[in-house]
Amino acid sequence: MGLSAADLDENGLKIGISPEHFRSVAMPLLFDHLNAQCEGTVAVNREARIVWMSDKYASKIGLADGRSALGREIEAVLPSSRLREVVDSGQPSLLDLMPFGDEHFVVTRIPLRADDGQVVGALGFVLFDRARHLKPLMEKFGRLQARLAETERALLQARRARYTIANFIGTSAVATEIKRQARRAAQLDATVLLHGETGTGKELLAQGIHNLSARADGPFVAVNMAAVPDNLVEAELFGTAPGAFTGADRKARLGKFELANGGTLFLDEIGDLSLPLQVKLLRVLQEQQVEPLGSNQVRPLDVRVIAATHVDLEARVAEGGFRADLFYRLNVLSLRVPALRERREDVRALVEALLDDIAARSGQRPLELADDALALLAEQAWPGNVRQLRNLLERAQLSAERGPLDGAALAALLGTAEPALAVPAAVASPRAVAPVASSEATPDTLPGERVVPLADSLARAERTALLAALRACGGNRRLAASRLGISRAGLYAKLQQHGIAR
């Protein structure tokens, strides 16, 4: 049956047209329509160099005309263009938002193929005039962008170091010397090892070194190695690839090294790191690159490491519990943070600073201490150092009623014997206000007996139990936690609370 005039239109499209003929007729029509309706069109060749650009597109991006862009790589003219990806993959990108300056273009990208199917280039269209139909989507995108920017600012602020070297309170000779050494370390970019008893202020000095260094504008990320379970340390430090292990996130998770990129990573209690992970840490420190758990991709790093420990790492090396090569890599700059008992003349200044901070955080008036109370504090051994001192002052702030806290009241909180000039027991003990009339006097009503608060008795009993467990287990905290029936993290918290060093 022959074709009638109705089977043929003015463009040559007829019923039963061959695919080749259809393409030769339809493609110019499609291109002309898109080019006319869109806000701009650009074409690139196999090397992603511009072979054609509409004058409308050129005007939109600030060029005199389309000819001025010819021969240039697409990214040199449109930095956020993904036409090269379309050329390389042969896959279209039908709808995307491409940033350009302060604007976002709604674009579509399609590959160009030769008769043999080979990709020879790509076309990009700016569908900007269609953006009004995408107004709800664009508004939502704008809100998400604003929330993302705000979250990034908050995270950056959270990862900033709060303290400076000046926050290390003290004017004694040893305090002055450690601050001098810290300032010198800040001027260098080498690895630092801080060693000293628990509660001496090692993290404070680490933050101070960071804030005085050339990395001050970068993040400060701290990790307490003793508080991270052994099976999670690698993921915590180096990150994970999507689905790296059972229960892992579907998305990649950045490790602390990558979070600290461009800044400082503080590794507290480095002596608790297991031997297998010591090998991986050494490699990261030497190569300045990290390979996330479950990934085969290596990512470059620019991180300064400050490590801290309260154990004798050299002794651990001799015992085989710590790698010698890692110790030498960490011990480039070594700073020993003095114990509080080595700088007793700083106690008064520390007490004043701590009481002001405690009051500011609690919303109460600063507690005042009598001279005999200050003298009593200066006489203590402070096994938990400044952290233990702060804990005591917080308890004193809560227990004080009015007026300066004297030595007798402070001695009760310390759990020590009262000073020689203490008030009589009958006045000091609320349970001994009068003799008992009955002949059956009970132990807690004997005249002159001092009653210790229950909380203090329990605290002393808990401290004794902790020390006994550590002695029985040869200082092995993991075993001690198991024997005590508590978690390892719980043991660390209690050791810190009671100011117990290894």
Side-chain angles (χ1 to χ4, degrees), residues 217-297:
D217 291 333
F220 178 89
V221 178
V223 187
N224 188 328
M225 308 305 298
V228 183
D230 290 343
N231 60 332
L232 295 180
V233 173
E234 185 173 1
E236 187 76 8
L237 290 180
F238 310 130
T240 61
F245 52 87
T246 303
D249 292 339
R250 296 180 183 177
K251 298 180 181 179
R253 181 175 181 269
L254 294 180
K256 291 297 192 287
F257 266 98
E258 287 189 88
L259 291 175
N261 203 18
T264 302
L265 178 63
F266 177 61
L267 298 177
D268 199 7
E269 300 296 357
I270 192 68
D272 281 44
L273 195 62
S274 66
L275 285 170
L277 286 173
Q278 289 177 30
V279 178
K280 296 186 177 182
L281 175 60
L282 177 63
R283 181 173 181 82
V284 172
L285 293 177
Q286 289 178 335
E287 305 297 332
Q288 278 289 293
Q289 56 187 24
V290 66
E291 183 176 339
L293 186 64
S295 171
N296 56 6
Q297 293 183 343

Side-chain angles (χ1 to χ4, degrees), residues 97 136-153:
L97 290 173
L137 178 62
M138 295 294 288
E139 288 178 348
K140 182 177 181 180
F141 176 76
R143 290 194 299 270
L144 290 174
Q145 285 284 86
R147 288 172 59 186
L148 177 61
E150 180 62 30
T151 301
E152 288 176 342
R153 284 193 295 270

